[in-house]
Amino acid sequence: MAAFGTYGGRSRGKHLRIRQVRIKDMDDAHGGAPGLGYRNPPIVEAAIAIEYESLPQDRLSAIRKFAATISNDYPEQSARFQQEAQFQFGPVAAYASTQHEDGVVCASRDRKRFAQLALGSSVFSRLAPYGGWDEFERQAKPLWERFERALDVSPTILGVRYINRIEIPTEAPMEKFLRTYPEISRDLPQLIGPYFMKVEIPLESAAGGPMLTLQQGFVQSSSPSVYAILLDNDLRYPISSGTHVWDLLRLARIEKNRIFEACITDDLRRRLN
């Protein structure tokens, strides 16, 4: 299961050109219709996370019992631990870290499908090769519905996260393929080395609405002739009373496609096809 940087490694001193010295107007950079269904999809991990009102610790045995019922599909199972850190500031700073078991991590035999079942959340993920939304939904939906009934949980937050690995030629500027990237003052050299960018973008003006956390940075490339960039889009939706998780998830699917398309150019679309 990936977190940002799992595919990491130093960039071996390489530097990527951000833009040409003469900057074109980016207003026309996105022409054309969204290019969904790419021949070479860049997705390295897709995840659906559902948070709920946290269960008491004594319900951990019920989660273990449920995990045992899916062992045919997820035979590799291990305890999941939550780590908590405490900082104390004052004349003498202090730090303490504790961890406690809060669920079960279940993996398919090929370790491409995962289900993390915990006291406060369930996460269903699929690693590359990604077979498309319909296949992912067939994995996650029945599993979630069974878990929801068995544990009687009340969902509060829906998360949809897609991590994409994009490779672009070393001689090309970043703006040729990406519409979202770190902008450097034009009075400075338009080259950057290893970088990590994280921004939170509210998708609605009202407070408490859906939120996008976008992360981007260099990762290890497969060849000296290309740069590899991880584009990690993490959507979070509050779940109001009476809202069906999967109805909201279908809306999130449309939005995650729109966000990815908004971050790339037609040149990258052609490259992915």
Side-chain angles (χ1 to χ4, degrees):
M1 292 163 292
F4 193 92
T6 296
Y7 305 90
R10 296 186 61 83
S11 64
R12 300 190 299 276
K14 296 193 293 186
H15 293 80
L16 175 60
R17 183 167 296 279
I18 298 172
R19 56 164 76 87
Q20 303 289 7
V21 174
R22 180 174 174 274
I23 307 300
K24 69 176 181 178
D25 185 351
M26 292 300 288
D27 288 346
D28 65 353
H30 185 220
L36 304 179
Y38 295 111
R39 253 188 230 109
N40 303 299
I43 298 167
V44 294
E45 182 174 359
I48 296 169
I50 303 168
E51 297 180 21
Y52 33 82
E53 296 176 12
S54 190
L55 299 169
Q57 191 71 24
D58 61 13
R59 296 287 281 155
L60 190 56
S61 59
I63 293 177
R64 294 193 195 103
K65 184 177 179 180
F66 178 86
T69 68
I70 62 171
S71 58
N72 285 340
D73 293 325
Y74 297 88
E76 297 188 26
Q77 301 191 0
S78 58
R80 192 187 109 141
F81 292 89
Q82 183 178 51
Q83 189 161 351
E84 296 179 353
Q86 293 182 331
F87 296 89
Q88 181 178 334
F89 299 97
V92 178
Y95 167 79
S97 177
T98 60
Q99 69 173 18
H100 63 271
E101 185 178 350
D102 77 335
V104 182
V105 178
C106 308
S108 61
R109 194 164 277 104
D110 62 1
R111 299 192 65 80
K112 297 294 185 183
R113 295 176 295 130
F114 290 86
Q116 297 185 60
L117 309 172
L119 293 171
S121 66
S122 293
V123 182
F124 310 99
S125 54
R126 167 74 204 198
L127 304 186
Y130 179 69
W133 179 267
D134 291 342
E135 179 184 303
F136 189 26
E137 185 176 49
R138 286 194 297 272
Q139 169 197 342
K141 184 180 179 182
L143 191 52
W144 161 250
E145 290 178 341
R146 285 176 55 196
F147 183 85
E148 184 181 25
R149 287 193 302 268
L151 276 295
D152 192 26
V153 294
S154 302
T156 56
I157 299 288
L158 170 67
V160 176
R161 184 177 186 182
Y162 274 70
I163 304 176
N164 304 275
R165 188 178 189 277
I166 296 166
E167 292 193 338
I168 62 177
T170 54
E171 71 276 5
M174 193 180 288
E175 66 168 5
K176 182 176 173 64
F177 297 99
L178 295 173
R179 299 178 69 215
T180 300
Y181 55 87
E183 183 172 0
I184 307 299
S185 167
R186 299 174 193 186
D187 294 329
L188 294 174
Q190 296 301 300
L191 293 169
I192 58 172
Y195 79 97
F196 172 76
M197 179 177 76
K198 178 179 178 179
V199 291
E200 292 188 354
I201 305 170
L203 298 178
E204 292 179 1
S205 57
M211 178 72 70
L212 166 66
T213 300
L214 186 153
Q215 300 182 92
Q216 188 186 102
F218 275 150
V219 289
Q220 191 70 49
S221 64
S222 61
S223 162
S225 64
V226 296
Y227 292 100
I229 296 172
L230 217 60
L231 176 59
D232 178 354
N233 294 327
D234 189 357
L235 276 162
R236 289 172 63 85
Y237 288 81
I239 302 175
S240 56
S241 178
T243 300
H244 191 277
V245 167
W246 235 258
D247 291 340
L248 185 57
L249 194 54
R250 291 189 179 98
L251 295 176
R253 174 195 181 185
I254 296 170
E255 188 70 351
K256 65 92 177 170
N257 287 340
R258 185 189 71 81
I259 290 166
F260 177 74
E261 293 297 320
C263 290
I264 67 173
T265 69
D266 286 340
D267 284 296
L268 183 55
R269 292 186 185 96
R270 285 189 285 271
R271 190 172 177 84
L272 295 177
N273 279 323

